Amino acid sequence: MAITFFASQISDLCLGKPPLRSLTITATVSDAISALKKSGDTYVSIWSCCDADVTICKCRCVGKICMVDVIVFLCNEKNLMNPLGALQTNVLEIVSKVQGQIKHLEPDSSLLDAIDCILEGAQNLVIPIYNHSKSNPSIKTLHYIHDYCWLTQEDVVRFLLNSIGVFSSIPTLTIQALDIIDKRILTVHQDDPAVSTLPLITCSLMEQTSIGVVNKDNRLIGEISPFTLACCDETVAAAIMTLSAGDLMSYIDYTGPSDDLVQSVKMRLLEKNYNAMLDVMDEYYTNPLLTPSTSCSSEEDFWSSKNACVGQFYPGRRSEAIMCHPWNSLMAVMVQMIALRVSYAWVVEQDYTLVGIVTFSEILKQFRSMAGSH
């Protein structure tokens, strides 16, 4: 029965998926930020397409951009000196150069094909769908023949969870018994400078994991997650360059930074002569349309705000670590990860001593093994 299930077409996973919001390869980093803030999504796709008057047009998604890419880009010394100039850089300069992160598949590809692509390194599977723009002219797309949606690890794991009864007793086994706890983890001490996490942020974004923040006893006290950073704005680059890892957790939490933390960042920017970045911070925290206290409680507020809300439709902005225990069942951990919209869960002992991490990738490997060589 499980083998038959793996033959399901991925078009089943695309039902209800909206068309991708798209940018062309000629867009700037500033264009990408605007698209993210207007859409409320955490990613925007980058496309290479032919001209509209070409008879046969083949569009390809060549990458994706999120606020984490922008923030890391702005943390470069040169860009901190001239952040507004840096935002006019072509968007391809900050698109990941790692091959295989975006994969195009046809709607009749199987679920097994999708899982294999993900396990080979694909983060997003791009699937053509019927054109929705005729029925909803407010959605602007670049594609003259098809619209597209994309599938993620989360979509595939949710689909598996919804049909968990197909998989016999495996979901009831503990994550320890299944040996899916990865001990190769990214951590930083709470007192370490946040700037030291920059290589880890890039790595965690690529591997779709997170950075654990620990105390001197190796107990997990929080995290710096790309899922959280993706819901922030570009001024977080200033916080990374000036705060400790522990203070950065507070700065990026969904409640927003305290006035004291904001003033601390501004003072340290001044000390480091990052005057242009300080001007950006001043504008952001003095303009009532840009301040993080701006509410997105209504659609009108959301679209009228110049800053809008990056990741407004994504509930993952939190600095509290998502945790489970070695004795938790696979199904319990899957439910927790899907509910909180993250691709990982930290594994800790009863006293919060860090053991490792469980990821969607390891979970998919477990299900993939059931299909054998089919």
Side-chain angles (χ1 to χ4, degrees), residues 177-368:
L178 291 170
D179 194 26
I180 61 172
I181 303 173
D182 194 344
K183 305 295 177 66
R184 299 166 300 170
I185 52 179
L186 305 173
T187 60
V188 64
H189 190 274
Q190 65 186 94
D191 294 327
D192 288 344
V195 67
S196 68
T197 68
L198 278 173
L200 303 183
I201 290 172
T202 300
C203 184
S204 64
L205 179 64
M206 183 176 65
E207 296 181 357
Q208 297 189 290
T209 57
S210 184
I211 305 164
V213 180
V214 297
N215 63 15
K216 59 183 178 61
D217 299 317
N218 197 40
R219 291 178 179 169
L220 190 66
I221 61 172
E223 66 176 353
I224 298 170
S225 166
F227 290 85
T228 301
L229 290 170
C231 299
C232 296
D233 63 85
E234 58 271 32
T235 63
V236 169
I240 291 175
M241 298 303 293
T242 55
L243 298 177
S244 68
D247 284 340
L248 179 62
M249 280 198 311
S250 300
Y251 192 96
I252 64 177
D253 192 71
Y254 72 95
T255 56
S258 66
D259 291 341
D260 288 344
L261 265 183
V262 172
Q263 289 306 314
S264 179
V265 169
K266 288 182 177 181
M267 287 178 59
R268 293 171 192 177
L269 287 174
L270 188 60
E271 291 169 3
K272 294 174 180 286
N273 292 320
Y274 293 142
N275 296 319
M277 195 66 193
L278 180 59
D279 290 341
V280 173
M281 287 280 293
D282 282 338
E283 180 183 1
Y284 186 82
Y285 283 99
T286 56
N287 188 328
L289 289 179
L290 300 181
T291 176
S293 63
T294 299
S295 170
C296 289
S297 58
S298 72
E299 185 176 351
E300 182 180 357
D301 289 339
F302 172 70
W303 290 110
S304 65
S305 169
K306 180 180 177 182
N307 180 57
C309 295
V310 181
Q312 192 226 354
F313 305 118
Y314 181 79
R317 182 169 179 175
R318 58 177 65 81
S319 60
E320 298 95 341
I322 292 85
M323 293 179 283
C324 62
H325 301 292
W327 54 86
N328 291 146
S329 71
L330 174 60
M331 186 164 69
V333 175
M334 288 173 66
V335 169
Q336 181 184 24
M337 293 162 72
I338 290 294
L340 297 175
R341 302 289 308 278
V342 291
S343 62
Y344 61 88
W346 296 101
V347 185
V348 297
E349 298 290 0
Q350 196 71 48
D351 63 354
Y352 296 102
T353 300
L354 190 55
V355 175
I357 196 168
V358 173
T359 63
F360 276 158
S361 180
E362 289 298 319
I363 290 172
L364 288 173
K365 285 179 187 177
Q366 193 66 220
F367 285 96
R368 177 62 179 86

Side-chain angles (χ1 to χ4, degrees), residues 53-110:
D53 58 355
V54 176
T55 304
I56 299 176
C57 180
K58 190 172 184 180
C59 292
R60 302 293 293 179
C61 180
V62 298
K64 60 179 182 174
I65 293 291
C66 69
M67 282 305 302
V68 186
D69 299 301
V70 175
I71 290 166
V72 171
F73 174 68
L74 288 177
C75 284
N76 177 282
E77 184 84 16
K78 176 183 175 182
N79 296 336
L80 283 168
M81 292 295 186
N82 183 18
L84 297 181
L87 295 183
Q88 300 311 308
T89 302
N90 183 272
V91 74
L92 289 180
E93 291 295 317
I94 67 171
V95 169
S96 173
K97 306 302 188 292
V98 177
Q99 295 294 315
Q101 286 190 341
I102 305 290
K103 180 81 172 179
H104 283 254
L105 287 179
E106 291 302 315
D108 59 355
S109 300
S110 69

